[in-house]
Amino acid sequence: PNMMFAEFLMQLPVLPEEISNGVQAMVATLRGRGLLKDVTFEDVLTELRARPLSEKELIACMRWWISVWTADVRSRPDIGQVRQQLVDAALLMKNTGSPNQKIISLAQIRTFVNVRSMGSVLPLDGPFPEHTIPIDISKPFVPADLCLAFAWRELTVLDWVGYIASPAAAASSGTEYDLEQSPIWAKCVLNALACAWPSLSKVHQAEIVEHLGGKACIPTCVGLKKVGEAYFPNAHVFPD
């Protein structure tokens, strides 16, 4: 038994802890003869390939991998290849038992939401790109560990806008999160951008303008309108 694996290796036959502690001499003899062995990385891969993990199990698996990465990154030149084997094998079962149940491959993940910096800016209950790991999974971890141990990067405001303005977002999330059909969501997005805008680079600002310029996403008293249809550039009635 090894407590690092107890929370996510559910199918691997392991000697009960009370037995291994009660007959330590016999266990030592069996280990010496190769009849009992420690859990190996191959054991982990075998289980990951056999079934998707729950959110709790995946968090435990990721916590174990971060400890391995931290300990071995300088001594194992092949650590990057080993990591790739892990992410290629790992699957997450999201919303188990609900109509929205789906399987997410860890291999598709490239980004995570840093709730410490983005939690007060982005609406965390809204949709995120397919390459972003669910927030409930990433939230317990230090962002630096996710960047180093998994080679992921923080999701930017530009990434987020690019996704929610795409046809894929509306198709997968429904009209509730369609910028051109939901005034409530459009207002939420614009409020988030107003909050983030001062900290964005000029390049990112220009790209966001390009993403949203053709969208009818400005709530008005006569429905959602494109920017050019919602504002009078030469009428200086309001300071903004």
Side-chain angles (χ1 to χ4, degrees):
N2 184 324
M3 290 307 297
M4 286 294 292
F5 301 101
E7 292 187 61
F8 69 95
L9 292 188
M10 302 301 178
Q11 297 181 347
L12 182 68
V14 177
L15 193 68
E17 189 172 4
E18 58 270 21
I19 293 178
S20 63
N21 290 336
V23 287
Q24 293 181 2
M26 183 176 181
V27 169
T29 300
L30 293 173
R31 291 183 68 177
R33 295 181 180 179
L35 299 175
L36 282 178
K37 61 180 182 178
D38 292 328
V39 179
T40 66
F41 182 66
E42 288 302 319
D43 293 323
V44 174
L45 291 181
T46 297
E47 179 138 351
L48 294 183
R49 289 165 179 160
R51 67 182 184 90
L53 303 183
S54 67
E55 292 187 12
K56 182 180 178 181
E57 291 169 342
L58 182 58
I59 289 172
C61 180
M62 289 171 58
R63 189 173 288 122
W64 162 75
W65 173 250
I66 289 171
S67 70
V68 172
W69 177 272
T70 303
D72 294 349
V73 65
R74 292 181 178 83
S75 60
R76 289 194 58 170
D78 65 337
I79 193 73
Q81 297 174 1
V82 175
R83 173 178 61 197
Q84 192 60 49
Q85 288 182 289
L86 179 78
V87 299
D88 285 345
L91 300 172
L92 166 66
M93 178 67 78
K94 183 73 174 170
N95 302 321
T96 304
S98 76
N100 297 323
Q101 176 178 300
K102 66 175 181 177
I103 294 178
I104 299 173
S105 169
L106 210 62
Q108 77 185 47
I109 301 300
R110 302 193 306 275
T111 60
F112 65 92
V113 176
N114 185 344
V115 295
R116 295 165 180 81
S117 61
M118 289 294 185
S120 60
V121 177
L122 301 184
L124 301 183
D125 56 343
F128 286 94
E130 294 292 321
H131 58 71
T132 301
I133 193 166
I135 294 173
D136 289 342
I137 302 294
S138 59
K139 187 163 55 176
F141 297 99
V142 176
D145 286 341
L146 298 178
C147 292
L148 294 173
F150 291 95
W152 298 336
R153 62 176 178 83
E154 293 186 24
L155 184 80
T156 66
V157 175
L158 179 60
D159 294 328
W160 177 70
V161 172
Y163 174 70
I164 62 172
S166 69
S172 63
S173 304
T175 57
E176 181 184 0
Y177 295 108
D178 189 327
L179 274 177
E180 298 189 280
Q181 294 194 53
S182 172
I184 295 175
W185 176 238
K187 182 179 178 180
C188 185
V189 170
L190 293 173
N191 282 337
L193 285 176
C195 181
W197 200 256
S199 64
L200 297 176
S201 69
K202 295 297 183 184
V203 173
H204 281 194
Q205 288 179 353
E207 291 190 49
I208 289 172
V209 168
E210 187 175 345
H211 280 307
L212 298 181
K215 296 285 183 181
C217 61
I218 308 297
T220 74
C221 59
V222 289
L224 290 163
K225 297 292 181 181
K226 295 180 181 180
V227 175
E229 301 169 348
Y231 295 103
F232 300 99
N234 297 319
H236 303 292
V237 179
F238 304 105
D240 58 353

